[in-house]
Amino acid sequence: MNKPILVVSTGAGISAESGIKTFRDADGLWENYPVMQVASADGFRRDPELVHHFYNERRKALIHALPNDAHRALVDLEKDYDVYVITQNVDDLHERAGQKNVLHLHGELMKIRSVYDPDYIEDLDIDHLETTPATRGRNGDPMRPHIVFFQEPVPNIEKAVELVQRADIFVVIGTSLVVYPAAGLLHYVRPGVPVYYIDPNPADIPSSAGVHIIRATATEGMKILQRELA
Ligand code: OAD
């Protein structure tokens, strides 16, 4: 028999307990860095050096981080559900926890891609994580972080929408739900499908009537969710 489909949409909050900074909390990344300079297409054109530096710093933080109990709890759910994780995160903690199906909406820190060809993507070598405007791919192209900058389209959004439309259960974890189109995924859930939102400081959702809010950190909230689903 087919397992029910459980679709999870994760944001920076799921990695907070792994020591990765979120963007908009107090002392979050966007409080300390000018977002449009380090994370927009215009910013990259104006000062690529600064943008490479910003992502080099993020990579250094990531290699010292480990998946936490929330990432692992999502892997455990694979026993009873077909689990699909749609993440806004650029870290690889879901994959390192052993998650089978992970769709990245905003790119991946440990990858770089050609400035000319968005489909030419390379994995970074763990011993050579620093990139600069002089970094070249194996094909000779100048390379940039494999990150979806503000002002750029989100290539995986259609795949994400299709997954959400198939969900039998939809779970949102650790996102402020301010960045679109990711924040809009909630609107594609079929009527009657249970929706859970785990976040210690959840956003106000206009259509939150049917949403079960679990006001807790990701690791605590996942324990509560596991009990609810049992
Ligand atoms: P935000 O920083 O906007 O929101 C983080 C959310 O995590 C907030 O709702 C917090 O309440 C919550 N949070 C904090 N600690 C938590 C914990 N221990 N457990 C669970 N939740 C916790 O991050 P995102 O919503 O992911 O895009 O941001 C979306 C996008 O904005 C990012 O992907 C990034 C950023 O600009 C790009 O850079 C392309």
Side-chain angles (χ1 to χ4, degrees):
M1 213 179 75
N2 286 345
K3 293 177 187 173
I5 296 178
L6 189 145
V7 178
V8 192
S9 169
T10 64
I14 195 169
S15 298
E17 289 163 276
S18 293
I20 305 278
K21 277 186 186 228
T22 63
F23 297 94
R24 294 176 184 80
D25 288 304
D27 200 35
L29 287 169
W30 295 159
E31 205 165 88
N32 298 298
Y33 295 87
V35 48
M36 291 317 268
Q37 282 177 34
V38 299
S40 74
D42 285 344
F44 185 62
R45 264 189 298 274
R46 265 200 300 271
D47 192 348
E49 185 89 47
L50 176 74
V51 175
H52 279 282
H53 173 75
F54 175 73
Y55 289 105
N56 289 338
E57 294 295 305
R58 308 276 71 72
R59 290 179 192 126
K60 273 187 229 159
L62 178 55
I63 56 170
H64 294 111
L66 293 171
N68 63 49
D69 283 347
H71 297 103
R72 281 189 284 274
L74 290 177
V75 177
D76 278 350
L77 288 175
E78 290 179 357
K79 289 183 204 131
D80 298 313
Y81 300 91
D82 275 339
V83 179
Y84 294 90
V85 174
I86 301 166
T87 187
Q88 294 173 79
N89 298 345
V90 296
D91 67 51
D92 57 359
L93 296 179
H94 285 299
E95 287 91 339
R96 281 202 259 146
Q99 196 80 50
K100 270 208 291 248
N101 304 306
V102 184
L103 182 68
H104 286 270
L105 290 181
H106 293 165
E108 292 173 71
L109 259 186
M110 292 305 184
K111 295 184 178 175
I112 51 177
R113 74 164 182 263
S114 162
V115 163
Y116 304 136
D117 174 4
D119 295 326
Y120 185 78
I121 300 165
E122 286 182 6
D123 287 322
L124 277 171
D125 174 349
I126 192 88
D127 296 321
H128 300 95
L129 291 176
E130 299 237 338
T131 60
T132 72
T135 300
R136 294 286 175 274
R138 283 185 289 277
N139 69 351
D141 282 2
M143 301 297 273
R144 55 167 274 180
H146 181 44
I147 298 289
V148 176
F149 293 138
F150 284 104
Q151 302 157 335
E152 292 182 330
V154 175
N156 280 336
I157 194 68
E158 279 172 26
K159 279 187 204 156
V161 166
E162 279 167 29
L163 286 173
V164 174
Q165 286 170 331
R166 289 170 54 204
D168 297 309
I169 300 174
F170 186 59
V171 182
V172 179
I173 307 174
T175 169
S176 58
L177 290 173
V178 297
V179 174
Y180 280 79
L185 286 174
L186 206 54
H187 305 303
Y188 293 93
V189 175
R190 285 176 293 128
V193 166
V195 178
Y196 299 88
Y197 177 20
I198 301 172
D199 196 302
N201 187 17
D204 285 329
I205 320 172
S207 59
S208 65
V211 178
H212 306 275
I213 307 244
I214 300 177
R215 196 178 282 270
T217 65
T219 56
E220 284 307 309
M222 279 305 299
K223 285 185 204 151
I224 297 168
L225 179 69
Q226 281 176 311
R227 284 198 296 272
E228 294 254 335
L229 296 178

